[in-house]
Amino acid sequence: MKHEWRKHEKELYMPKQKPQLVSVPEQKFFMIEGKGNPNSHEFQEKVAVLYSLAYAVRMMPKQGYTPEGYFEYTVYPLEGLWDLTEEGRKLNTLDKDELLYTIMIRQPDFVTKQVADKAFEVARKKKPHPLLDEVVFDTTEDGLSVQILHIGPYDDEPLSFEKMKKFIEDNNLEIRTLRHREIYLSDPRKVEPAKLKTVLRYMVKRL
């Protein structure tokens, strides 16, 4: 049976529009770092490079190579860890040029370093890109987190963040890091801003 993250991992990817506590296990990702406005051409190029690797893994059996433990699955959505530069934190309004990010696409558990290396090889042959050299394959674990489903424009996310902060305060929790995670369930090229669905997540600890 095909693994559909929307159906089989609802707790992580399909939260409600109110804050909830969740435990996020260790996960594997292709990831790339950057600084600046996510509306820039450079950002879009980095997204494209990540997807080239994600689909290289997904299509391996059709290329004559089936990794051990491989199963049919839907490619995971784009995610991002977001922060601000020291200069950006001093400003009263958000300057997107001062954003720091690590964007990533999760990989199934069967993806080992060997499989990831094969994906790099396939991607370089199909469409060489200098940004491939900046991508790393690594694991990360958010652990105890508070998340919410935000529906609407990205610029309206502060409204959802305020709901999360109140939930965190009311439940004797504390945000562990200034960075937050966003998981993009919608394609902004195809979905109007008012209907965009984004999972927002703070990593927290109990007081």
Side-chain angles (χ1 to χ4, degrees), residues 8 26 32 48 60 63 71 90 122 128 166 175 178 183 186 189-190 192 194 200 204:
H8 300 120
E26 183 177 83
I32 186 169
M60 277 180 181
Q63 305 299 324
F71 52 83
K90 295 175 185 175
V122 170
K166 185 176 188 310
I175 296 173
L178 291 173
I183 305 175
S186 307
R189 298 170 301 177
K190 301 175 182 177
E192 60 182 276
L200 305 179
V204 300

Side-chain angles (χ1 to χ4, degrees), residues 12-35:
L12 297 180
Y13 295 102
M14 305 300 289
K16 294 179 169 47
Q17 285 180 266
K18 59 182 182 180
Q20 65 186 63
L21 198 61
V22 65
S23 182
V24 185
E26 183 177 83
Q27 298 171 331
K28 301 177 180 182
F29 291 91
F30 285 119
M31 53 181 76
I32 186 169
E33 296 181 344
K35 173 184 178 293

Side-chain angles (χ1 to χ4, degrees), residues 10-180:
K10 285 184 178 181
E11 185 181 35
L12 297 180
Y13 295 102
M14 305 300 289
K16 294 179 169 47
Q17 285 180 266
K18 59 182 182 180
Q20 65 186 63
L21 198 61
V22 65
S23 182
V24 185
E26 183 177 83
Q27 298 171 331
K28 301 177 180 182
F29 291 91
F30 285 119
M31 53 181 76
I32 186 169
E33 296 181 344
K35 173 184 178 293
N37 195 320
N39 296 312
S40 68
H41 175 71
E42 179 187 10
F43 184 86
Q44 298 307 320
E45 286 290 291
K46 289 181 176 180
V47 171
V49 163
L50 289 176
Y51 272 109
S52 74
L53 290 165
Y55 277 98
V57 173
R58 173 71 179 81
M59 304 304 289
M60 277 180 181
K62 293 187 177 180
Q63 305 299 324
Y65 175 74
T66 302
E68 184 178 350
Y70 182 92
F71 52 83
E72 289 288 314
Y73 66 98
T74 301
V75 170
Y76 282 92
L78 180 72
E79 306 188 24
L81 285 172
W82 294 90
D83 200 350
L84 281 167
T85 63
E86 290 296 327
E87 191 62 35
R89 287 205 189 97
K90 295 175 185 175
L91 303 174
N92 293 324
T93 57
L94 175 64
D95 181 349
K96 292 182 180 180
D97 290 333
E98 296 298 325
L99 285 168
L100 297 172
Y101 59 80
T102 303
I103 52 174
M104 60 193 79
I105 297 178
R106 185 181 165 192
Q107 297 305 297
D109 289 342
F110 69 77
V111 179
T112 60
K113 184 180 183 303
Q114 180 183 10
V115 174
D117 288 345
K118 181 75 173 176
F120 278 105
E121 181 185 320
V122 170
R124 286 191 174 100
K125 282 183 180 178
K126 187 173 182 180
K127 190 177 181 181
H129 199 297
L131 284 174
L132 282 166
D133 293 333
E134 296 183 26
V135 178
V136 297
F137 174 69
D138 205 352
T139 59
T140 183
E141 183 176 352
D142 286 1
L144 190 66
S145 301
V146 170
Q147 65 181 23
I148 193 172
L149 177 64
H150 174 78
I151 299 180
Y154 300 134
D155 289 344
D156 288 350
E157 287 178 359
L159 298 172
S160 292
F161 283 127
E162 286 306 311
K163 292 179 184 177
M164 294 167 72
K165 287 175 180 175
K166 185 176 188 310
F167 177 89
I168 288 167
E169 184 179 340
D170 290 347
N171 287 274
N172 294 316
L173 300 166
E174 183 176 81
I175 296 173
R176 278 189 283 131
T177 171
L178 291 173
R179 295 194 304 173
H180 72 273

